[in-house]
Amino acid sequence: MISKTIKLLNLNSEEKEKAMSDLKKICESCFVCELSKTRDRVVFGSGNIHSKIVLIGEAPGAEEDASGMPFVGRAGKFLTQIMEKAGFDRKKDLYIINTVKCRPPQNRVPTDFEKNCCEDYLLSQLAIINPKVIILCGATACQTFFDSTFWKKNKISNLRGEFFENQGIQYVPIFHPSYLLRQHSEDENAPRSLTIKDFANIKNYVKNLNTSL
Ligand code: URA
């Protein structure tokens, strides 16, 4: 089901930090696609590169483009609240990145070409971090990792919260916070509550691995 292979690296803390900072410099001077012409800032990632969990979103929006930080706009603030309800500290417990590192104009969905241009950065970030869980936040992140036939046959509402293993990594699709902002119900089985449960399950999974987050 998961169609991407990550060339996972086994780096110590110091090597990880050096590799990430070198990759960030390269990414910040990328001019491969048209998004580089309209961006203000490259949004490389934020959080803890030593954690076992990585969350992958779609692409930066206006506030992310202005600040250089992922998920800090309206949807990002809502995602942070959801994570906090499940006991996550977003600075400490995970590393947050996007499929595409530069803002698509008018927040349109990134094209396949733009996603392909950014894929080496994305896979290199994952290789360096070597996570145990990858949270696929929304359709764009899911499309990047799931086999296309499988993805076309399924909906995110069927897949969310499930764990899909590849190379010893659990891939967990979740609803995107932009969708959750349009779903107002706080009922137990409504998307907002289900997403809090998904984060809680992920936290529990990592805790039971006997490694620190
Ligand atoms: N902000 C991000 O950084 N990524 C998204 O996918 C949405 C908002």
Side-chain angles (χ1 to χ4, degrees):
M1 280 160 237
I2 298 294
S3 63
K4 289 274 181 298
T5 305
I6 305 169
K7 291 184 189 139
L8 295 165
L9 298 169
N10 251 320
L11 305 177
N12 65 33
S13 295
E14 219 172 286
E15 291 166 336
K16 252 187 195 184
E17 271 161 34
K18 167 94 173 69
M20 270 309 227
S21 128
D22 289 349
L23 181 65
K24 185 167 189 260
K25 278 185 208 138
I26 298 167
C27 188
E28 283 175 343
S29 52
C30 177
F31 292 96
V32 174
C33 84
E34 292 288 302
L35 297 184
S36 61
K37 295 186 183 153
T38 51
R39 74 172 179 232
D40 253 339
R41 307 272 300 263
V42 170
V43 179
F44 183 72
S46 81
N48 179 6
I49 62 165
H50 305 291
S51 108
K52 298 279 171 271
I53 306 173
V54 174
L55 179 141
I56 308 176
E58 181 176 280
E63 291 181 58
E64 288 82 9
D65 182 55
S67 65
M69 300 288 282
F71 283 106
V72 291
R74 189 163 164 255
K77 288 189 180 108
F78 191 67
L79 179 70
T80 305
Q81 280 175 24
I82 293 261
M83 289 193 291
E84 283 172 358
K85 285 186 181 158
F88 273 80
D89 173 341
R90 68 171 271 177
K91 291 201 179 113
K92 182 168 121 305
D93 294 336
L94 76 171
Y95 191 67
I96 302 179
I97 56 181
N98 279 307
T99 309
V100 167
K101 313 299 182 202
C102 298
R103 183 190 181 200
Q106 281 83 49
N107 298 345
R108 63 162 170 74
V109 175
T111 63
D112 286 344
F113 178 74
E114 290 156 359
K115 285 191 274 181
N116 285 339
C117 288
C118 248
E119 192 165 298
D120 276 354
Y121 297 125
L122 175 65
L123 295 182
S124 301
Q125 286 177 307
L126 297 173
I128 293 166
I129 294 176
N130 199 340
K132 293 290 174 219
V133 177
I134 296 179
I135 305 174
L136 302 172
C137 183
T140 297
C142 287
Q143 275 159 9
T144 304
F145 287 88
F146 280 117
D147 167 79
S148 60
T149 319
F150 174 80
W151 174 248
K152 278 181 202 143
K153 279 195 201 144
N154 286 284
K155 287 188 178 152
I156 195 143
S157 48
N158 301 332
L159 302 179
R160 61 128 282 277
E162 284 200 41
F163 284 50
F164 297 88
E165 193 273 339
N166 192 40
Q167 298 180 276
I169 303 169
Q170 302 292 339
Y171 289 78
V172 189
I174 63 163
F175 290 125
H176 193 277
S178 308
Y179 168 76
L180 296 178
L181 280 172
R182 302 192 297 271
Q183 307 295 314
H184 299 285
S185 169
E186 303 283 348
D187 288 354
E188 202 188 337
N189 288 317
R192 289 184 177 197
S193 307
L194 292 174
T195 307
I196 298 170
K197 280 186 206 152
D198 295 342
F199 273 108
N201 285 342
I202 291 163
K203 199 165 206 297
N204 214 23
Y205 172 80
V206 172
K207 193 170 141 214
N208 289 334
L209 288 174
N210 272 338
T211 54
S212 58
L213 270 180

